[in-house]
Amino acid sequence: MGIVFGVPAGAIGVLTINNTLRNGFLSGLFTGLGSSAADLFYSILTVFSVSIISDFLLKFSSEFGIAGALVLIIMGMLNFRKKEIKKSEDVSVKGLSKQFSISFLIAIMNPATILSFLVAFAAFNVSDNLSVQNGILLICGIITGTVFWWSGLSLLVVVFRRFITVKIYTVLNYLLGSLLVILGIIVIFNIFIA
């Protein structure tokens, strides 16, 4: 289940790839870990049925979704301006915490995230009355799977990073920036047609 939640089907995957290309493995990993932290939060809510918090999040899911989508659009547009590849692997603690925080906020504000947990738990036939021990094991499995995925993705990008020239990097910036903008627009569109 953890790998299912970790597979980047959207913005966090794009951000992880982009940050790994620009700043190396740790940058990409911390971007993915922000998403893992959001997955951890939602898995705890789902496993232990903290209905007050999950009801609040669902009630204001449109507002959270719009805020997250606007962050994606702004980040995508800023991506168009990046022209150079940073070859340095030296990333400051402040930079890593910023990437972690941005990723966490985008993931936590995505209204589809909590719904995906509910659907996945139903699909995997996870019962509502899990014991505390089984609930903790399930949460550990989810966080382990997502961390495994983000580590693997970041490592894969690092391996291919050395083959990317400035020209290719510029094209990738436009592609990744466009993907972020498109994903943000899709989120807003889905909120208004729902």
Side-chain angles (χ1 to χ4, degrees):
M1 278 181 71
I3 292 175
V4 168
F5 287 117
V7 174
I12 305 302
V14 174
L15 286 175
T16 299
I17 292 168
N18 192 33
N19 287 340
T20 305
L21 283 172
R22 288 190 301 124
N23 300 317
F25 176 78
L26 280 178
S27 181
L29 178 61
F30 272 76
T31 302
L33 290 179
S35 175
S36 292
D39 291 340
L40 175 64
F41 175 76
Y42 280 127
S43 64
I44 290 170
L45 288 183
T46 307
V47 167
F48 296 114
S49 299
V50 185
S51 59
I52 295 170
I53 297 172
S54 59
D55 289 346
F56 171 80
L57 292 169
L58 287 172
K59 182 177 179 182
F60 294 102
S61 65
S62 295
E63 289 82 356
F64 286 132
I66 290 170
L70 291 175
V71 169
L72 287 178
I73 291 169
I74 290 168
M75 291 181 70
M77 294 172 83
L78 290 174
N79 217 53
F80 296 143
R81 300 173 60 193
K82 297 174 184 163
K83 306 285 185 197
E84 297 177 17
I85 305 172
K86 290 184 181 179
K87 292 292 185 183
S88 171
E89 298 288 332
D90 180 34
V91 179
S92 67
V93 172
K94 183 179 177 182
L96 293 175
S97 62
K98 178 182 173 188
Q99 290 160 357
F100 177 92
S101 301
I102 289 170
S103 173
F104 176 79
L105 288 173
I106 290 170
I108 208 82
M109 288 190 284
N110 185 351
T113 305
I114 194 164
L115 296 175
S116 69
F117 270 90
L118 298 173
V119 169
F121 276 43
F124 283 99
N125 201 22
V126 177
S127 65
D128 292 337
N129 53 359
L130 279 176
S131 68
V132 172
Q133 181 182 1
N134 287 338
I136 290 171
L137 286 173
L138 180 61
I139 290 167
C140 288
I142 290 170
I143 195 68
T144 302
T146 60
V147 169
F148 174 78
W149 173 258
W150 296 120
S151 300
L153 179 64
S154 298
L155 188 59
L156 184 66
V157 174
V158 165
V159 168
F160 288 102
R161 181 179 178 216
R162 62 183 158 185
F163 301 111
I164 297 175
T165 64
V166 173
K167 186 175 180 179
I168 293 171
Y169 183 72
T170 303
V171 171
L172 283 174
N173 273 334
Y174 281 107
L175 288 173
L176 294 172
S178 298
L179 278 173
L180 289 173
V181 170
I182 290 167
L183 288 168
I185 291 169
I186 289 171
V187 168
I188 291 172
F189 180 76
N190 286 337
I191 288 169
F192 284 111
I193 65 165

